[in-house]
Amino acid sequence: MVEGSLGGLYRGRYSILGAVMLGSILGPIDASIVNTILPTITSGFGVGISTAQWVTMIYLLTISSLLLFYGRLGDILGYRKVYLFGLLGFVAASGLCSLASTIRWLVAFRAFQGLTAGLTMAVPFAIVTASFPPEERGKALGINAVSISVGLALGPSLGGFITSLASWRLVFLINVPIGLAALAWGWLVIPELKGQPGKIDAGGVVTAFISLFSILFFVRRLQGHGLDRVSWLVLLTALSAGAAFFRIERRSPQPLLDLDLFRNRTFTFANVSALLNFMSQYVMVFVTPFFLQGLLGYSPDRVGLVMTAFPLATMAVAPFSGSLSDRVGSRAPACAGAAFCALALLLMGGLSSSSGAAEVAWRLALFGVGTGLFQSPNHSAVMGNAPRSHLGVASGILGTMRNVGMVFGVAAGGAVLFAFAPPGAFQKALLGPVERAAFSTALGYAYTAGAVMAALSAVTSLVGEKRPG
């Protein structure tokens, strides 16, 4: 095992990066695979879609609500311990998911899977940042982004292929060999990045969890139930817990989230940019399958094939944009990338029922180029402006921005789409020209909303320090 510290030498850094990438691919593969096989799970257990949605919802809610805590835990205990323990737990939880006898057990095992996946998602940026010199940080974070893109690209096709050949249960077992390999590699090469003396702010952990869980659950519930009595109660809980969290953090001698981090303008606005950009990404990811299936009549496997243009383009660009940010700074590349995302969303809004697969694919690829150009410099700006003693918290904040952005983006895109789409648009193919035109208009509005989010991300990316790296 390589020994080191936060201020130590950078020997073996690419081996460390490889180990982190292998583990990081699990989350994107798992998320995209489960979304693909959810209809099969629904019919297999004989339950309604509202019940089956908890298979994906509980996983996301659990991860998003604990990333701040796990990041702080990494700062105290050491990133290696947190990361490897998370991998071990994720492998065990994946095996349990494959054995679930009822939908309730599957939801429970997915909650356990979310608890462990959060550990692996909270600290990778911290491990990579601590393992590379500042002048190579953007490049390293860009290479690391490739693993996420590969996972997103492989997931849908892999899930459909395995389910068609065997059972959906085997889909969860894919995580076992990959996870064990990542665990063995990480055990050998990830250095013991020693933590800082400190205590866990229990009040901050509890209130942060309640607030984040409640606000994300509120956003999800709005899509199906609107502002009913339960939704208002959940929102009130989120706001009350959030207010209590900030009151506790201001008074705590060792807070879960050091609010002084946000005195740094680059750190603050880079996180805001990340939130807005991830929102625009998931408008694209959520809305486009409705366009391809509902308006163009594509089969699910063809939808998955067309959608891979986005992550493949991101994978090709991210390492180069990271290296560029090491030389010229993060502001210009991040701003340009977000602007490309906005342009791609506007161009998607101009498509019609007569558009072909190639017209959709190159627009998705343009969006992927923008995402790859944005993400590496943006992540470098966040991690490069966090103190060494708070790299875990900074990594956790960035992970929270990603997950919250995903939920908000899906909610915003869905709200616009459902508000303007004609009745029956999501249950059957639209044959009438009037209904097809109305559905196309609704899709255009949703894409425009995503473009506005990406454009705002471009603006906020310009705020911060001008110096390179």
Side-chain angles (χ1 to χ4, degrees):
M1 181 185 69
V2 179
E3 293 293 333
S5 66
L6 289 175
L9 298 175
Y10 301 109
R11 290 175 297 182
R13 57 190 183 276
Y14 283 100
S15 184
I16 296 169
L17 177 59
V20 171
M21 289 177 66
L22 184 59
S24 297
I25 202 174
L26 288 170
I29 285 182
D30 193 74
S32 54
I33 278 183
V34 173
N35 285 332
T36 302
I37 66 171
L38 192 59
T40 305
I41 292 174
T42 303
S43 60
F45 283 117
V47 297
I49 188 65
S50 60
T51 301
Q53 281 180 336
W54 277 99
V55 174
T56 56
M57 190 186 304
I58 194 66
Y59 178 77
L60 174 64
L61 292 178
T62 306
I63 291 173
S64 304
S65 305
L66 290 169
L67 284 172
L68 283 178
F69 167 52
Y70 288 157
R72 175 62 176 158
L73 197 64
D75 285 334
I76 295 175
L77 299 181
Y79 309 130
R80 181 178 186 270
K81 290 185 179 71
V82 169
Y83 182 71
L84 295 180
F85 185 78
L87 276 177
L88 180 62
F90 188 81
V91 169
S94 298
L96 290 173
C97 286
S98 71
L99 299 175
S101 57
T102 66
I103 191 69
R104 289 183 175 84
W105 277 114
L106 181 57
V107 170
F109 293 147
R110 284 284 284 174
F112 176 42
Q113 197 177 35
L115 286 172
T116 57
L119 291 166
T120 67
M121 293 182 182
V123 296
F125 295 132
I127 294 173
V128 173
T129 301
S131 301
F132 280 78
E135 62 271 16
E136 295 182 17
R137 182 179 57 242
K139 178 183 178 182
L141 290 170
I143 296 173
N144 182 61
V146 170
S147 62
I148 298 175
S149 298
V150 170
L152 290 173
L154 285 177
S157 301
L158 199 58
F161 176 72
I162 292 175
T163 304
S164 64
L165 288 181
S167 167
W168 62 265
R169 298 179 184 275
L170 292 181
V171 166
F172 288 104
L173 292 179
I174 293 175
N175 298 326
V176 175
I178 299 175
L180 290 176
L183 182 64
W185 192 359
W187 181 271
L188 290 173
V189 303
I190 295 178
E192 193 68 65
L193 300 171
K194 297 179 180 178
Q196 307 293 319
K199 296 181 179 179
I200 295 296
D201 174 18
V205 171
V206 173
T207 51
F209 177 84
I210 294 174
S211 181
L212 284 168
F213 191 97
S214 299
I215 193 64
L216 294 175
F217 180 63
F218 168 76
V219 172
R220 286 279 186 164
R221 185 174 175 82
L222 273 181
Q223 299 172 30
H225 300 82
L227 283 171
D228 60 3
R229 183 178 300 179
V230 175
S231 296
W232 280 114
L233 180 61
V234 173
L235 179 60
L236 180 62
T237 301
L239 295 176
S240 300
F245 171 75
F246 284 106
R247 185 166 59 251
I248 290 170
E249 297 310 282
R250 284 197 299 266
R251 297 175 179 176
S252 175
Q254 296 188 43
L256 173 69
L257 176 61
D258 188 348
L259 299 179
D260 285 342
L261 285 171
F262 296 98
R263 294 180 183 274
N264 185 305
R265 286 195 312 160
T266 304
F267 180 86
T268 300
F269 280 92
N271 273 295
V272 172
S273 300
L275 174 66
L276 290 166
N277 191 262
F278 280 116
M279 287 175 66
S280 73
Q281 280 187 48
Y282 281 89
V283 169
M284 176 71 90
V285 169
F286 176 76
V287 171
T288 303
F290 285 109
F291 170 73
L292 294 173
Q293 285 188 280
L295 209 57
L296 301 188
Y298 286 4
S299 60
D301 59 336
R302 193 176 183 190
V303 170
L305 185 62
V306 174
M307 290 293 293
T308 55
F310 163 34
L312 288 176
T314 302
M315 180 175 61
V317 173
F320 301 103
S321 68
S323 297
L324 180 65
S325 70
D326 288 331
R327 296 193 298 271
V328 304
S330 63
R331 298 202 308 168
C335 177
F340 277 130
C341 290
L343 175 61
L345 282 158
L346 287 176
L347 291 171
M348 286 293 294
L351 294 172
S352 67
S353 57
S354 61
S355 301
E359 294 176 273
V360 180
W362 77 257
R363 287 166 170 82
L364 285 169
L366 177 63
F367 189 85
V369 169
T371 300
L373 192 57
F374 168 85
Q375 281 189 357
S376 304
N378 172 263
H379 294 173
S380 182
V382 172
M383 300 306 299
N385 283 276
R388 286 282 188 174
S389 59
H390 287 73
L391 287 180
V393 169
S395 183
I397 292 172
L398 195 52
T400 303
M401 293 300 104
R402 179 177 64 237
N403 284 273
V404 172
M406 177 172 65
V407 176
F408 282 8
V410 170
V416 174
L417 187 58
F418 297 152
F420 293 98
F426 308 102
Q427 284 77 38
K428 57 184 179 181
L430 298 175
L431 300 178
V434 175
E435 290 82 4
R436 293 175 70 85
F439 193 30
S440 180
T441 300
L443 289 162
Y445 289 152
Y447 283 127
T448 301
V452 171
M453 299 169 194
L456 289 173
S457 177
V459 173
T460 53
S461 295
L462 291 174
V463 181
E465 301 297 328
K466 295 182 178 180
R467 63 179 182 271

